[in-house]
Amino acid sequence: MSTTKTIQLLLLSGVAAAALSAPASALEAQAFVDRVAEVYRTMGYELSFGEATLEGDTITVDGLTVEVVGVDEEPMEIDTTLTFRGVSETEDGAYWAEELTVPDVDTVFTTEEDEAEGRVTLSDIRVEDLYFPAGDAASAIAQVQSFGAASTGPLSVFRNGEEVVRVESMEARSTFTPEQGTDELVDVDSTLAINGIWADLSTVSEEDPESGAVIEQLGLTEINGSITQHMTWSMADGHMVMDEFVFDFDDLGALDITFDITGFTPEVLDQIYAMQAQMGGEEMTEEQAQAQMMSGMALMQGVNIVSVAIRYDDASLADSLLDFFAEDAGTDRATFVDGLKQQLPLMIEGLGIPALNDLIVPPVSAFLDDPQSLEIAARPASPTSLLVLMAAAANPAGLIPALGLTVTANQ
């Protein structure tokens, strides 16, 4: 065989190999995005991906359309490139991706209210340790493990060229026991941190002069703060504890929301997803609505409240508000506060629940005299189901001891 013919044969073999391998790569990339769409469909989202291509273990997707099942709104189109790196498929048909990244966002828009030019920038968007289980419908216990971490770099919002909102970074992270991707998940430990929140409220007066004047008098033209959250969830007994969800703003105050519930198991979440799927966005008949209500009540029977609390710690906001409203009323602060304390029992009397008077008046009065902290908490003597509390709500006076409701100040 001549050298020329040998080279031609090799070239033809290469072309044939490429032609044969291309469909397989495209099919694998398409199978991956189909699996992603199937998993999120169980969660109530319809995802439509653009063209997916595979190179090595990286799958690139050209755009995405997101639609929420049962919500009558226009689908959200994400016209950007999604890059999944470190993609692999397990023997059972599940997929993993080490990382998903999205190009930095830089979007300009015009507000409808005053036709001001707005601009949003967001950088370093990534999701790590993505898991898409096999099967027709992803269980709740699998969906909980859908990603290990998600984070972004700085977020900025501009109005007519001036920066008005900035966030330094955002991160959500979960730790799984045992490792992520198991059907025998024991518990999850999750954190959320939104750091370096800054906002310039001095421009509010351009849209709302009255509110802008109040903001300026309260000294709120610039705010700085952060948001942090910590939560644990045990699968076996559905014990979910959010021991911190703090909105903390410098020189203003901190709001902390906590709760402790039991019985919120993955099986309960599966039933909630199934109920959402049955609704399907279509109008239900009266019989169907009643059936849904009964199913919901059955679910609540197993979910128990151990405690719920909302606590506010003042760092000057309450002081500033009392000073402002006293001045606005044309009086001194002490006189204004005394007037509020006298009105408080009358306001509670209008609710028709006498027991609230002893519960609310003393701590709120103490807070008005010296704003430090105020907490509203429900701590039943023993874990109490949501269904029992709903029944107790028919007698509001009886609901107070059933909840173990307390209001405390400056503690």
Side-chain angles (χ1 to χ4, degrees):
M1 182 182 293
S2 68
T3 302
T4 301
K5 288 185 177 181
T6 301
I7 293 173
Q8 289 175 340
L9 182 59
L10 289 172
L11 288 172
L12 287 171
S13 299
V15 171
L20 289 171
S21 64
S25 297
L27 179 62
E28 187 176 348
Q30 187 61 46
F32 171 75
V33 295
D34 286 347
R35 180 93 294 266
V36 176
E38 184 61 41
V39 169
Y40 276 86
R41 185 175 295 111
T42 307
M43 300 184 197
Y45 299 94
E46 280 291 344
L47 305 184
S48 300
F49 290 96
E51 182 181 0
T53 56
L54 174 68
E55 183 175 347
D57 64 354
T58 297
I59 292 179
T60 304
V61 183
D62 185 17
L64 168 68
T65 300
V66 181
E67 186 174 358
V68 181
V69 176
V71 176
D72 188 20
E73 292 184 1
E74 288 294 319
M76 179 174 64
E77 295 185 4
I78 302 174
D79 187 17
T80 190
T81 302
L82 310 176
T83 304
F84 297 87
R85 294 184 177 87
V87 178
S88 61
E89 183 181 4
T90 61
E91 292 183 359
D92 66 351
Y95 283 94
W96 289 84
E98 294 176 3
E99 180 184 70
L100 163 65
T101 58
V102 179
D104 292 350
V105 174
D106 192 341
T107 302
V108 176
F109 60 92
T110 302
T111 60
E112 295 181 0
E113 295 82 3
D114 56 2
E115 297 186 352
E117 182 183 78
R119 179 182 170 212
V120 176
T121 64
L122 178 61
S123 62
D124 196 20
I125 307 163
R126 67 183 65 247
V127 185
E128 303 170 27
D129 301 325
L130 295 101
Y131 169 60
F132 306 103
D136 294 335
S139 66
I141 207 164
Q143 293 173 33
V144 168
Q145 305 174 78
S146 59
F147 69 91
S151 61
T152 75
L155 163 71
S156 291
V157 180
F158 299 84
R159 185 178 187 276
N160 290 333
E162 296 291 331
E163 188 176 33
V164 292
V165 175
R166 180 174 63 248
V167 176
E168 290 181 1
S169 64
M170 296 179 278
E171 181 182 56
R173 187 171 294 273
S174 295
T175 302
F176 306 96
T177 306
E179 69 280 354
Q180 181 184 9
T182 177
D183 291 334
E184 306 301 325
L185 184 66
V186 175
D187 59 52
V188 183
D189 189 299
S190 302
T191 59
L192 170 69
I194 304 177
N195 300 311
I197 301 173
W198 169 86
D200 177 8
L201 302 183
S202 63
T203 59
V204 170
S205 58
E206 298 177 19
E207 300 178 21
D208 187 345
E210 186 175 344
S211 297
V214 173
I215 287 172
E216 186 172 350
Q217 290 185 52
L218 291 174
L220 300 179
T221 53
E222 182 178 309
I223 61 173
N224 295 272
S226 62
I227 299 173
T228 54
Q229 182 191 54
H230 177 247
M231 185 166 64
T232 60
W233 186 17
S234 172
M235 302 296 110
D237 57 359
H239 191 188
M240 181 180 287
V241 178
M242 185 169 74
D243 54 24
E244 175 187 5
F245 192 11
V246 181
F247 301 77
D248 190 0
F249 287 86
D250 300 347
D251 301 322
L252 294 177
L255 181 69
D256 189 11
I257 303 169
T258 60
F259 66 75
D260 185 341
I261 62 174
T262 62
F264 192 71
T265 62
E267 290 75 20
V268 169
L269 195 53
D270 276 328
Q271 292 178 60
I272 292 173
Y273 286 142
M275 288 171 62
Q276 291 175 341
Q278 288 175 2
M279 291 171 64
E282 298 179 0
E283 187 174 347
M284 292 187 293
T285 64
E286 185 177 346
E287 291 78 8
Q288 289 173 326
Q290 289 178 349
Q292 285 278 42
M293 184 179 69
M294 294 299 294
S295 297
M297 292 176 67
L299 283 176
M300 287 188 289
Q301 177 65 40
V303 180
N304 300 303
I305 291 179
V306 178
S307 67
V308 179
I310 301 175
R311 178 185 175 91
Y312 172 71
D313 286 277
D314 189 58
S316 79
L317 179 60
D319 273 319
S320 298
L321 287 170
L322 289 172
D323 288 338
F324 171 78
F325 286 117
E327 183 179 347
D328 190 57
T331 186
D332 61 88
R333 174 166 161 174
T335 303
F336 180 73
V337 167
D338 284 341
L340 288 178
K341 291 162 61 177
Q342 292 172 19
Q343 292 176 28
L344 191 57
L346 299 176
M347 295 167 60
I348 294 174
E349 184 180 348
L351 298 174
I353 309 174
L356 285 176
N357 192 74
D358 293 338
L359 180 72
I360 294 176
V361 171
V364 172
S365 296
F367 180 79
L368 290 171
D369 284 333
D370 181 18
Q372 296 180 40
S373 68
L374 189 65
E375 181 182 83
I376 302 171
R379 298 184 177 95
S382 60
T384 306
S385 77
L386 293 175
L387 193 59
V388 169
L389 294 177
M390 287 179 63
N395 175 21
L399 186 59
I400 295 173
L403 278 171
L405 193 64
T406 60
V407 181
T408 55
N410 303 338
Q411 293 185 7

